[in-house]
Amino acid sequence: MTPQTSPTSQTSPSSPTSSSPQSAAGPRGRVARAVTTRPRLLLLLILLLTAGAVVVGGGVAERMSSGGSQIPGSESSYATAELERRWPASQPNLLLLVSPRDGSRDVDDPAVASAARDLARQLADENTVFGVVSYWQAEDTALRARDGGEALITARIKGDEDAVDDALEALEPRYQGAHGTVDVRLGGPAAVRHASQEVIADDLVRAEVIALPVTLVLLVVVFGSAVAAALPLLVGIVSVLGTNAVLRVITEFTDVSVYAQNLTTALGLGLAIDYALFLVRRHREELAAGRDPRGAVAVTLRTAGRTVLYSALTVAVCLASMLVFEQYFLRSLAYAGIAVVLISAAASLIALPAALVLLGHRVNALRLPVGRRGGIPGAGWARLARLVMRRAPLFAVGTVAVLLALGLPFKDVRFGTADDRQLPPSTEARVVQEELRNEFPGSPGSALAVLVEGKPAATALAEYSGEVSRLAHVVQVAGPAGRFVDGKRVNDAPPAVGFVSVLHSAESASPRSVSLVKKIRSVPAPFETSVTGPAAVLADTQHGTAERLPWALAVIAVTTLILVFLLTGSVLLPLLTVVVNGLSLTAMFGAVVWVFQDGHLSGPLGFTPTGDIETALPVLMFCVAFGLSMDYGVFLVSRIKEEYELGGDHRDAVVLGIRRTGGLITAAALILAVVMVAIGTSRVTNIKMLGLGVGLAVLMDAMVVRALLVPAVLRLTGRATWWAPAPLRRLQRRVGLEEEARTTYPDIPTRTERPVSGRT
């Protein structure tokens, strides 16, 4: 029996001795020549760049912000900016919760009142603070707890988020704790944001401490060699350090979310290890086939290197789709994602091959009594692929049904925004906010502000304020016409201002508070109004996200279709890839709602459910998880295509492709899942949701979708999988990066030795 000739390629397999670093033209050939001829120089340059990255990237966390949900140009954004410019005290971001040290007294006790007034005067003298209002000055019952045991001093810290954080760090030691007859605790939006940044930074260090040693152990199990196992981990560390430096530079020009550093750690370790794992595995195969180290590196770059390049481009595009959105929370994650993917790919395609050339056969040194020298065995994956393909309709329908069932909870998703309950229960900022929710009629930190423009008549303002005060959940309305409760004026107007403050009892950013915003905006007024506040920001964020989401999905879909076509030359396979990748995410989205929204497993996982999901978080999780699914999809499809072009039999190609990559993809998924679960140990709920959700999606994709659904679907589509019209086929050959045909490997029988399907 003779080997079959591919219907799509006439390239014959090259012998182990026929490929040298100088034998290939094009970009990959030039990279191979540079890596194999000057590896020491390349590694020295990379070492210097990494050392520079450590210096530049130091302290990047201190430059990041925890905000970024506001939509530029929205009604709430406009009103916030105008109020900040004209009446900055209208939006207090610092709250001092004052309580008597003697539990038998209340806040109206003369000694308590005197100490509180002194404290308010001291705060008003601070250069970074203005607009100080206390219960004892304003005699506003909304600033007093129902039982009289606590009362508030409100203030505004000047400046942007960085300036607010700096000022708060200076104020905390001077105002926290005992002051004569009173105790003081700090809360409000500024304190919650500052506490979030501190907790996230601490949790990130712990996640790295957890992930690195566990990852190293898994790599040793995969390779059976300490030297081979260390290489992917070193590439991952270089990627994380390099991306931190890039983010530090970006913070000089625009705001960057603190969440970007968590994404950097997760993707930097995960993707770099994936790419390095794939390349090291292929390099060891080439060495086992009889090539010398330089020739093995050259062939690895021209084969597996092509796959890594396509994978990196695909993942980068998926993450770049977040640039479509206007809020800097998502944009900054796109900056981090693009940087970490490109740096991971560059380190894998340049630094790693140079190290492999210098190591030579010593890449297999320091063998340990765990794992296998040849890596994860493929015979079991081949048997599974044959079983699935024999019962293809059953596995296809069954797997899709299970995935859709796991995603059903997502139909009941409710979108909200993060608040203090993201923090650990003992955090002071959260304790203060809990007291405001439970003991006060309404929180000034969550109040809505209505910007009034023009020169409205006093009677019109009074009618408008009275109408707003009648709305459900409104505690009181205070503004130019006075203070109103249930439609009645309770005091005279304050000094002339141009805004109306709406104190409400609904949670600061919840479906009820969003509904209230819509009702306020619909109240007729003979003057211009603009509503802002946490709930208004959420309402505008939901609208802006929904408006831009189709464009982001279109970017992902179109670029994925193009890149998979250029990789495979198939018209059908790109469509199947998009659909299958989408199905792989259903379990993640279902779990997000069932666990984090509805509160199942909240006890073991240690978080407080709020009954809703952060609006932008599913968008982030989709882009990250879809990109990672494409990562594994490219690995598998590329190898199946290589086998198909070598032998021309579709079913044999699927079996051999899964045999060669099944264990590799599973190992990569396990390692990435370890990194994501380590991130998921965060005490901040959104970080926990991101880590555990994406970790689940990665495992489902590698162990269910790639192992069961993909081979079943490819069996049903048959040879039509590889069809393309002649003009498109010519375009793909001209534009796509063609991969060198695979050599034979001693641990796998070739088709001349034993046909996979049993046919001759």
Side-chain angles (χ1 to χ4, degrees):
M1 184 176 66
T2 58
Q4 295 172 299
T5 302
S6 168
T8 58
S9 174
Q10 299 299 318
T11 304
S12 60
S14 56
S15 67
T17 58
S18 64
S19 288
S20 64
Q22 290 79 23
S23 63
R28 283 174 295 158
R30 289 192 290 272
V31 171
R33 285 193 295 274
V35 166
T36 55
T37 55
R38 297 184 177 179
R40 288 184 177 82
L41 177 60
L42 277 176
L43 287 178
L44 177 61
L45 291 175
I46 290 166
L47 181 62
L48 293 175
L49 288 173
T50 303
V54 172
V55 175
V56 174
V60 64
E62 299 173 1
R63 302 279 303 177
M64 295 181 172
S65 305
S66 61
S69 61
Q70 205 157 359
I71 303 287
S74 63
E75 179 179 326
S76 60
S77 178
Y78 168 76
T80 298
E82 285 298 301
L83 290 171
E84 179 76 27
R85 183 175 65 86
R86 295 156 62 182
W87 295 284
S90 63
Q91 301 174 89
N93 58 6
L94 176 64
L95 305 177
L96 274 61
L97 183 64
V98 181
S99 57
R101 299 196 69 189
D102 183 350
S104 64
R105 300 183 181 185
D106 64 21
V107 294
D108 293 313
D109 182 273
V112 172
S114 175
R117 291 191 185 98
D118 290 343
L119 194 64
R121 283 192 291 269
Q122 178 185 344
L123 184 63
D125 289 338
E126 298 283 353
N127 292 330
T128 57
V129 176
F130 56 87
V132 176
V133 176
S134 75
Y135 159 71
W136 298 270
Q137 167 200 354
E139 297 182 354
D140 184 352
T141 56
L143 300 180
R144 179 181 182 272
R146 296 183 183 92
D147 63 1
E150 297 165 318
L152 288 173
I153 299 173
T154 69
R156 178 82 181 180
I157 301 178
K158 304 175 183 178
D160 58 18
E161 289 181 347
D162 292 333
V164 169
D165 286 338
D166 292 340
L168 187 61
E169 286 186 358
L171 293 172
E172 277 180 341
R174 295 205 292 270
Y175 290 91
Q176 280 178 329
H179 291 266
T181 58
V182 299
D183 281 321
V184 178
R185 290 174 289 179
L186 271 59
V192 171
R193 184 177 63 246
H194 183 67
S196 297
Q197 290 175 306
E198 289 185 333
V199 173
I200 288 172
D202 292 342
D203 290 348
L204 184 60
V205 174
R206 187 179 67 253
E208 292 171 345
V209 170
I210 294 171
L212 290 176
V214 177
T215 297
L216 181 58
V217 170
L218 289 174
L219 287 169
V220 169
V221 171
V222 171
F223 287 119
S225 160
V227 173
L231 291 174
L233 192 59
L234 290 174
V235 173
I237 293 172
V238 169
S239 300
V240 172
L241 295 175
T243 305
N244 283 340
V246 172
L247 290 178
R248 177 62 180 82
V249 173
I250 293 175
T251 59
E252 294 291 331
F253 303 96
T254 187
D255 293 315
V256 177
S257 170
V258 68
Y259 290 88
Q261 202 170 19
N262 293 87
L263 187 67
T264 295
T265 298
L267 292 184
L269 290 175
L271 286 176
I273 289 172
D274 280 0
Y275 297 155
L277 190 66
F278 194 63
L279 291 167
V280 171
R281 172 68 178 269
R282 187 60 181 256
H283 176 72
R284 296 174 88 196
E285 290 178 353
E286 298 297 338
L287 289 177
R291 295 188 188 277
D292 63 88
R294 292 177 185 270
V297 165
V299 173
T300 297
L301 284 174
R302 293 198 300 273
T303 53
R306 172 182 183 261
T307 302
V308 167
L309 179 59
Y310 267 104
S311 174
L313 289 174
T314 306
V315 177
V317 166
C318 290
L319 296 172
S321 65
M322 288 186 286
L323 293 173
V324 169
F325 299 96
E326 296 178 281
Q327 54 267 56
Y328 83 74
F329 166 73
L330 289 174
R331 283 178 170 266
S332 59
L333 293 171
Y335 304 146
I338 295 169
V340 74
V341 171
L342 296 182
I343 292 174
S344 296
S348 300
L349 295 173
I350 299 174
L352 179 62
L356 291 174
V357 169
L358 293 180
L359 285 172
H361 290 279
R362 288 172 294 178
V363 71
N364 296 317
L366 297 182
R367 298 176 197 166
L368 302 176
V370 294
R372 289 165 43 91
R373 180 183 176 186
I376 295 175
W381 291 100
R383 287 194 296 270
L384 177 62
R386 293 191 195 99
L387 172 63
V388 171
M389 295 178 78
R390 282 198 299 268
R391 301 287 187 270
L394 176 64
F395 277 98
V397 173
T399 305
V400 170
V402 170
L403 291 173
L404 291 177
L406 291 174
L408 280 178
F410 193 71
K411 66 181 178 60
D412 298 320
V413 65
R414 294 183 297 274
F415 294 109
T417 194
D419 60 19
D420 58 279
R421 287 169 293 180
Q422 294 278 310
L423 295 169
S426 60
T427 307
E428 182 173 292
R430 174 173 173 175
V431 172
V432 171
Q433 297 303 119
E434 292 280 8
E435 288 292 312
L436 295 177
R437 262 192 300 273
N438 297 330
E439 304 298 334
F440 285 72
S443 171
S446 63
L448 296 170
V450 182
L451 175 66
V452 176
E453 295 184 284
K455 296 181 179 180
T459 55
L461 274 173
E463 289 178 4
Y464 176 79
S465 299
E467 188 67 27
V468 171
S469 71
R470 294 187 184 95
L471 296 175
H473 308 301
V474 172
V475 174
Q476 71 173 28
V477 174
R483 187 179 301 149
F484 290 77
V485 176
D486 291 331
K488 298 178 182 179
R489 192 199 312 260
V490 295
N491 71 347
D492 294 331
V497 293
F499 67 93
V500 172
S501 177
V502 182
L503 198 65
H504 60 88
S505 59
E507 293 178 359
S508 62
S510 64
R512 285 196 305 175
S513 59
V514 169
S515 176
L516 177 59
V517 170
K518 294 177 181 177
K519 291 176 181 177
I520 294 174
R521 286 174 172 174
S522 65
V523 172
F527 45 82
E528 294 184 12
T529 62
S530 303
V531 183
T532 189
V537 171
L538 173 59
D540 292 339
T541 298
Q542 290 178 341
H543 175 74
T545 301
E547 196 173 52
R548 296 296 182 103
L549 183 59
W551 291 102
L553 295 177
V555 168
I556 292 174
V558 171
T559 52
T560 297
L561 293 173
I562 292 172
L563 287 171
V564 176
F565 167 74
L566 292 176
L567 175 69
T568 64
S570 164
V571 171
L572 180 60
L573 200 52
L575 297 172
L576 293 177
T577 300
V578 171
V579 173
V580 167
N581 276 19
L583 285 171
S584 72
L585 308 184
T586 54
M588 176 184 73
F589 285 122
V592 160
V593 172
W594 191 78
V595 175
F596 290 96
Q597 175 181 291
D598 299 340
H600 299 99
L601 303 180
S602 59
L605 293 178
F607 69 92
T608 301
T610 60
D612 52 53
I613 300 296
E614 167 76 42
T615 301
L617 199 58
V619 175
L620 168 62
M621 295 175 72
F622 174 84
C623 294
V624 172
F626 191 91
L628 294 175
S629 295
M630 282 302 304
D631 191 38
Y632 300 136
V634 167
F635 286 175
L636 177 58
V637 168
S638 175
R639 195 56 182 256
I640 292 175
K641 175 179 180 287
E642 183 182 346
E643 300 291 346
Y644 179 70
E645 291 192 339
L646 180 65
D649 184 276
H650 175 70
R651 279 186 287 181
D652 284 0
V654 173
V655 172
L656 284 173
I658 292 175
R659 177 173 183 165
R660 296 307 298 171
T661 61
L664 186 68
I665 290 174
T666 303
L670 284 173
I671 291 169
L672 183 55
V674 164
V675 176
M676 297 308 303
V677 169
I679 297 293
T681 62
S682 173
R683 293 166 292 167
V684 175
T685 306
N686 276 354
I687 300 293
K688 187 187 298 291
M689 189 188 312
L690 173 65
L692 297 182
V694 174
L696 175 62
V698 166
L699 292 177
M700 290 295 295
D701 181 75
M703 297 182 177
V704 176
V705 173
R706 304 297 158 195
L708 302 178
L709 184 58
V710 170
V713 170
L714 292 181
R715 173 66 181 88
L716 294 175
T717 56
R719 291 175 66 90
T721 304
W722 309 103
W723 177 84
L728 288 180
R729 175 69 67 181
R730 288 193 294 270
L731 175 65
Q732 188 267 343
R733 289 176 177 170
R734 189 161 53 247
V735 177
L737 296 174
E738 286 299 320
E739 184 168 335
E740 181 186 271
R742 183 179 69 83
T743 64
T744 58
Y745 301 103
D747 61 331
I748 292 185
T750 65
R751 292 178 183 81
T752 60
E753 298 167 337
R754 179 178 59 81
V756 172
S757 62
R759 300 187 307 276
T760 58

